[in-house]
Amino acid sequence: TGVKLAAPLVCGSLLITVATGILARVAPQLNVMMLGISLRIGSGLIGIGLFLPYMAAFSQRLFLGMRNDIFLFIEVMRG
């Protein structure tokens, strides 16, 4: 479940890394390290902002499922 939650941001970060690597080969005079870091931070913040509603609904379903599992566990332990 955590992989499903983090996959879009990880893929976005991978794409930015590949793009800055290509940019470093094409234009070596640019400071690609500083450009890549700022792009990664900016895209991460935008990605978190875009996926926050989905993360909230996903987390809510996950915790409600855990609540039901805990109640089931208690019932099984009672006998």
Side-chain angles (χ1 to χ4, degrees), residues 1-78:
T1 57
V3 174
K4 289 180 187 177
L5 204 57
L9 296 177
V10 171
C11 289
S13 180
L14 179 66
L15 287 174
I16 289 174
T17 303
V18 169
T20 53
I22 292 171
L23 189 62
R25 286 291 200 179
V26 172
Q29 67 271 17
L30 286 176
N31 190 357
V32 179
M33 177 82 97
M34 294 302 291
L35 181 68
I37 290 173
S38 60
L39 280 174
R40 212 171 286 128
I41 290 171
S43 68
L45 289 174
I46 289 171
I48 288 173
L50 289 174
F51 288 109
L52 196 59
Y54 302 110
M55 288 183 209
F58 181 78
S59 298
Q60 184 178 14
R61 275 186 283 143
L62 186 68
F63 284 118
L64 286 176
M66 286 175 27
R67 180 176 176 241
N68 294 336
D69 289 342
I70 289 172
F71 286 144
L72 180 65
F73 178 74
I74 291 172
E75 287 297 320
V76 168
M77 293 301 287
R78 276 189 191 161

